[in-house]
Amino acid sequence: MGAKRKKSEEVGGDDEVGGGKKQILPSTIKNKDKRSAVHAKLKHQKKIEKRKKAKAREAAEKRALELGEEPPVKTIPRTIENTREFDETVCKPDDEELFAGNDADEFSSILNRKSDPKILITTCRFNSTRGPAFISELLSVIPNAHYYKRGTYDLKKIVEYAKIKDFTSLIVVHTNRREPDALLIIGLPDGPTAHFKLSKLVLHKDVKNHGNPTSHIPELVLNNFTTRLGHRIGRMIQSLFPQAPNFRGRRVVTFHNQRDFIFFRHHRYIFESKESKQGDTKGNKDKDAKGEKSSQGKVVARLQECGPRFTLKLISLQHGTFDAKGGEYEWVHKPEMDTSRRRFFL
Amino acid sequence: MPRTSTLECPGCPPIRALTFDVLGLVKVTEARSKEGGIPKVVDRWGEPDSSKCILAASIDDRKSGPLLAIARKGGLIEILNPLNGHPCLSISNIIDNGPQPGDDAIVGLHLFKKQNLDLSSRSCTLLACTTKGNASMRSVELTSSHADSTSSVSSRTWNVCASGNILCSQVDGNENYALFGGKGVEVNVWDLEQGTKIWTAKSPPKNSLGLFTPTWFTSATFLSKDDHRKFVAGTNSHQVRLYDISAQRRPVISFDFRETPIKAVAEDQDGYTIYIGNGSGDLASVDMRTGKLLGCFLGKCSGSIRSIARHPELPVIASCGLDSYLRFWDIKTRKLLSAVCYQIIVMSNYLNLLFRSCYVVNFLC
């Protein structure tokens, strides 16, 4: 009883001081009622202050614009990407060891256009509902991909058969509870094995206003693969597609990495110019036409989404082909690596 | 719940470490200051070239005239001066019989510390072992000038295993005995002076389900410097076994460690502690008298550990692996002292690691 009274006095006393330096932390109050009350009050105060600041900023800007002066500099909001923890493995543009390493890794022969990619897609043993639909969409997105039913073959045997038939990559779509939920990309002949977790799958027919993909070789956009590990994964994804994009086909496949999640999108695009005086010049312009920015106005690109949309997250990268028991990992996620909310690995 | 805040790593005491990688480079990492120094890569010897990838290395850490031997892909062995990286010698074909076949890579190398007493021409002895089982012991002369082909004083080649691949080989502290083991090859111990096999291991009997795991040793080390009879071997099926030559052919103690193959084993100087590293980056120390796990080294190690080395004087060990980091750990507290990132793309590399105790005199030159 005595303690309770002391705490209420403390709270009262500090509030009177005016929330200055000696503000009490709500987490030190053991009484849940009081603690939630103090916490709610603190939050309310912070919200009022924030609103005041925002109003003051807007008023200052408006005043400056009216008076014709320079508006005050806009402050940059603090985001998690801005405050990402410094990672020493970020690739620098002038790293010769990186280039030497690239020349000697498993994907260099495809990326140097010496050989063409040939992909084998298969599934886990039990495949149902959304699985086959996803596979048929993958077949349309990735050129030169072939689908074989899984049967009851061992994955290691499948790897051997694929090597004999000269495939360059093997993709296994794993299904759980009637939904595809993992993707295993195995480079062949003895390339690395990347295990991704697949989520947020939206099929082609479920996309609003979807377009129809053509069979031109798509352009590839890989965003934000900055670290060494990210660079390696980026090259691995790049080696799935042929390296001769057909710009006239106006088809683009994007793998965008943000906070270790890789977002896959598939679009068709058109360049158009807006606000043109001589009427709409909506034509099939390819990329060279962007240079001719004539006086007709801005050239914008309109996108139409087609094909599936999904998100990948890397679970592990194994050195060598798939070998669950005897394999060694280049990168595997461990919970002790998660000690900072600002740390990302790709 | 794991810790949600970052810990600052304390630095390391002054040490110097050499690492070897798949692009054929030798990197020297040093921590200069007395306490809390951050190690940095101070030197890099060689050009990045993956056809010269380094497969094995061994150091002879004498005070006068230390030598470092490295084995590259294609059967080339080079002997360098570990202080400045200048090559002293290169041997192109250590196996005498016939040309080196392309796939018979060198898997183990050892530079002997014993020296001949006549110092008129310094000679060093090398023991090299390839994956097909051809072991060769050769002593070569070191002249002051860089010589390409050697005049070998004596050499001997013998075959260690009839079939299977050798994956690990070690020479004991007194340099009279060597052990070899690998995939399909039980661990053998050979007497180097006489060139005979003195002991072979026997695999443990079938377990209660009647299953028999095939032999696959991935790493091995002798337990202490003066005793050639006890050694520890790690297998592909995540088992660590202690063998005693004088007791029996089957393992004396054997226990399981996590789920990936044991890729590196290193012994401590007290003769009964070992450090094991496995394929998913877990590093742990074990007391081999009882077989009990003393503790794991927690840190952001996410790649398979390929090599562990213990500093000869300070209580520090270093580990390196496929995630291209070299990490220094304190033995007693099992905490990470510091980590150095290497600017290499990690591929089929064999990062080996040798420590050199810090001589303050040599530091300055």
Side-chain angles (χ1 to χ4, degrees):
Chain A
M1 261 277 264
K4 259 198 212 168
R5 222 181 285 150
K6 226 206 265 178
K7 272 179 194 142
S8 62
E9 272 175 25
E10 266 187 71
V11 169
D14 278 312
D15 276 342
E16 276 171 24
V17 168
K21 291 178 192 165
K22 285 191 191 164
Q23 214 162 34
I24 193 166
L25 271 183
S27 52
T28 55
I29 306 176
K30 302 272 186 175
N31 185 337
K32 186 167 178 178
D33 265 349
K34 281 226 182 337
R35 185 171 66 233
S36 52
V38 169
H39 180 65
K41 206 169 179 181
L42 274 177
K43 269 188 90 170
H44 188 63
Q45 280 174 358
K46 279 196 188 160
K47 198 166 168 188
I48 293 179
E49 278 177 33
K50 189 170 174 186
R51 222 182 278 167
K52 260 197 251 175
K53 271 196 212 158
K55 279 214 171 119
R57 239 185 290 137
E58 277 176 31
E61 217 179 299
K62 215 169 167 188
R63 219 181 324 125
L65 278 176
E66 280 175 9
L67 295 178
E69 298 165 353
E70 290 273 324
V73 177
K74 270 197 175 171
T75 48
I76 308 172
R78 190 189 69 171
T79 61
I80 289 190
E81 284 86 9
N82 280 352
T83 49
R84 179 176 170 170
E85 194 180 85
F86 173 66
D87 200 343
E88 343 160 86
T89 55
V90 167
C91 304
K92 305 192 175 57
D94 53 352
D95 199 353
E96 63 163 36
E97 282 188 36
L98 178 66
F99 299 142
N102 277 354
D103 286 335
D105 77 358
E106 300 95 345
F107 320 119
S108 63
S109 67
I110 301 179
L111 296 181
N112 291 337
R113 302 197 192 179
K114 292 206 184 100
S115 46
D116 284 323
K118 193 173 166 198
I119 319 286
L120 173 62
I121 305 187
T122 182
T123 68
C124 63
R125 290 199 174 110
F126 302 107
N127 194 17
S128 59
T129 318
R130 305 235 288 170
F134 179 55
I135 300 223
S136 57
E137 299 194 3
L138 269 186
L139 286 172
S140 72
V141 170
I142 307 180
N144 204 7
H146 306 267
Y147 169 62
Y148 283 83
K149 282 198 278 194
R150 172 69 184 264
T152 47
Y153 296 111
D154 260 346
L155 200 53
K156 293 194 192 174
K157 295 267 171 58
I158 297 186
V159 167
E160 278 174 43
Y161 298 150
K163 273 195 239 186
I164 296 174
K165 294 224 167 144
D166 272 343
F167 281 95
T168 57
S169 279
L170 171 64
I171 298 184
V172 181
V173 177
H174 189 83
T175 317
N176 192 4
R177 287 202 187 163
R178 298 172 287 279
E179 276 273 340
D181 76 333
L183 204 68
L184 200 67
I185 302 184
I186 306 177
L188 302 166
D190 36 32
T193 305
H195 185 186
F196 293 98
K197 177 175 81 154
L198 203 147
S199 51
K200 296 271 187 338
L201 173 65
V202 175
L203 292 175
H204 163 91
K205 53 185 167 58
D206 297 329
V207 174
K208 296 247 161 46
N209 297 329
H210 65 259
N212 290 319
T214 56
S215 59
H216 299 107
I217 298 182
E219 280 176 63
L220 197 57
V221 173
L222 295 166
N223 275 342
N224 218 5
F225 287 92
T226 46
T227 63
R228 288 267 158 169
L229 178 66
H231 190 78
R232 195 156 152 79
I233 298 284
R235 280 173 70 88
M236 189 171 188
I237 295 177
Q238 201 179 0
S239 70
L240 294 176
F241 292 87
Q243 299 302 304
N246 190 341
F247 295 111
R248 288 209 165 266
R250 291 179 288 122
R251 198 177 151 214
V252 62
V253 167
T254 308
F255 287 87
H256 176 89
N257 171 35
Q258 188 153 350
R259 301 195 198 177
D260 283 352
F261 284 92
I262 303 177
F263 299 94
F264 170 91
R265 300 285 183 270
H266 179 202
H267 294 281
R268 304 210 65 219
Y269 60 90
I270 282 185
F271 283 107
E272 292 177 356
S273 46
K274 275 172 132 182
E275 302 163 336
S276 59
K277 288 173 192 157
Q278 292 121 352
D280 254 347
T281 50
K282 204 202 297 198
N284 288 356
K285 295 198 177 106
D286 58 358
K287 268 212 157 157
D288 296 333
K290 210 177 176 186
E292 357 170 291
K293 235 191 207 177
S294 43
S295 58
Q296 291 174 347
K298 304 190 298 182
V299 178
V300 292
R302 274 199 312 128
L303 295 175
Q304 187 185 38
E305 186 161 0
C306 51
R309 177 201 291 186
F310 53 87
T311 320
L312 297 172
K313 185 164 191 196
L314 183 68
I315 301 183
S316 69
L317 180 64
Q318 200 180 76
H319 188 73
T321 54
F322 180 76
D323 192 352
K325 269 198 309 183
E328 37 176 353
Y329 290 91
E330 286 183 25
W331 189 86
V332 66
H333 178 264
K334 290 187 183 176
E336 60 207 22
M337 299 195 295
D338 280 341
T339 55
S340 160
R341 293 184 70 175
R342 306 276 191 268
R343 180 185 305 150
F344 306 110
F345 302 102
L346 280 187
Chain B
M1 200 172 118
R3 199 169 25 92
T4 49
S5 55
T6 30
L7 262 183
E8 282 301 318
C9 296
C12 330
I15 42 182
R16 178 180 159 102
L18 298 164
T19 53
F20 315 91
D21 65 23
V22 70
L23 290 178
L25 302 168
V26 182
K27 293 190 176 147
V28 184
T29 314
E30 275 179 15
R32 286 281 166 106
S33 56
K34 287 279 172 191
E35 279 299 325
I38 302 190
K40 287 197 185 44
V41 179
V42 297
D43 215 349
R44 194 187 82 162
W45 303 329
E47 289 304 315
D49 183 359
S50 73
S51 61
K52 290 201 258 152
C53 106
I54 298 184
L55 296 171
S58 168
I59 194 169
D60 176 10
D61 204 13
R62 296 190 282 245
K63 285 228 161 60
S64 64
L67 296 171
L68 167 70
I70 52 181
R72 292 188 194 265
K73 201 155 125 174
L76 183 68
I77 296 185
E78 289 180 9
I79 300 188
L80 317 172
N81 183 344
L83 294 174
N84 48 20
H86 290 160
C88 304
L89 197 61
S90 63
I91 310 169
S92 52
N93 191 352
I94 197 166
I95 307 295
D96 287 328
N97 45 355
Q100 186 107 13
D103 50 353
D104 199 11
I106 296 184
V107 92
L109 184 65
H110 183 85
L111 189 60
F112 284 91
K113 298 187 169 58
K114 286 191 290 209
Q115 226 182 344
N116 288 340
L117 286 175
D118 61 339
L119 298 169
S120 54
S121 70
R122 271 193 18 229
S123 71
C124 63
T125 320
L126 292 166
L127 171 67
C129 178
T130 67
T131 46
K132 292 253 169 71
N134 296 320
S136 149
M137 190 149 116
R138 213 190 216 192
S139 54
V140 293
E141 275 178 14
L142 283 174
T143 53
S144 52
S145 63
H146 182 140
D148 265 330
S149 60
T150 75
S151 56
S152 54
V153 173
S154 69
S155 87
R156 209 174 38 169
T157 312
W158 71 99
N159 197 306
V160 171
C161 69
S163 66
N165 293 334
I166 301 276
L167 290 175
C168 53
S169 78
Q170 278 280 334
V171 174
D172 80 323
N174 293 334
E175 299 183 343
N176 292 330
Y177 301 94
L179 65 82
F180 303 93
K183 178 173 180 184
V185 178
E186 291 281 355
V187 184
N188 313 334
V189 178
W190 289 70
D191 182 338
L192 290 173
E193 318 246 306
Q194 291 150 18
T196 55
K197 187 186 329 194
I198 57 173
W199 186 84
T200 314
K202 201 166 171 190
S203 52
K206 289 192 215 177
N207 67 1
S208 54
L209 296 169
L211 293 173
F212 174 69
T213 31
T215 327
W216 194 336
F217 288 97
T218 48
S219 57
T221 180
F222 282 97
L223 199 51
S224 84
K225 283 199 177 27
D226 10 321
D227 192 359
H228 71 272
R229 293 170 304 182
K230 297 200 256 289
F231 57 89
V232 178
T235 68
N236 197 44
S237 41
H238 47 87
Q239 223 183 35
V240 179
R241 299 182 185 162
L242 170 68
Y243 287 90
D244 191 345
I245 296 184
S246 47
Q248 59 185 25
R249 285 180 65 196
R250 293 205 206 255
V252 175
I253 301 180
S254 105
F255 61 91
D256 278 331
F257 177 66
R258 305 254 170 118
E259 287 158 2
T260 41
I262 311 285
K263 283 287 178 184
V265 187
E267 83 276 7
D268 197 53
Q269 287 154 352
D270 52 15
Y272 50 81
T273 317
I274 55 162
Y275 306 100
I276 46 181
N278 73 353
S280 46
D282 304 316
L283 186 59
S285 71
V286 182
D287 183 343
M288 278 325 273
R289 294 174 296 190
T290 52
K292 259 176 64 167
L293 188 72
L294 291 174
C296 286
F297 291 73
L298 292 178
K300 281 193 285 171
C301 186
S302 47
S304 147
I305 296 181
R306 281 290 178 100
S307 173
I308 308 175
R310 196 220 188 272
H311 197 279
E313 288 149 24
L314 302 166
V316 170
I317 59 172
S319 75
C320 61
L322 288 183
D323 59 351
S324 64
Y325 268 88
L326 167 65
R327 292 185 166 87
F328 295 102
W329 310 84
D330 184 314
I331 292 179
K332 304 207 180 68
T333 60
R334 288 195 295 276
K335 291 221 165 28
L336 182 65
L337 288 177
S338 115
V340 183
C341 175
Y342 281 124
Q343 310 299 330
I344 49 163
I345 287 267
V346 170
M347 286 170 285
S348 57
N349 74 8
Y350 182 89
L351 272 173
N352 199 339
L353 178 57
L354 294 167
F355 257 128
R356 192 171 183 275
S357 44
C358 149
Y359 303 124
V360 180
V361 177
N362 290 357
F363 246 57
L364 301 173
C365 66

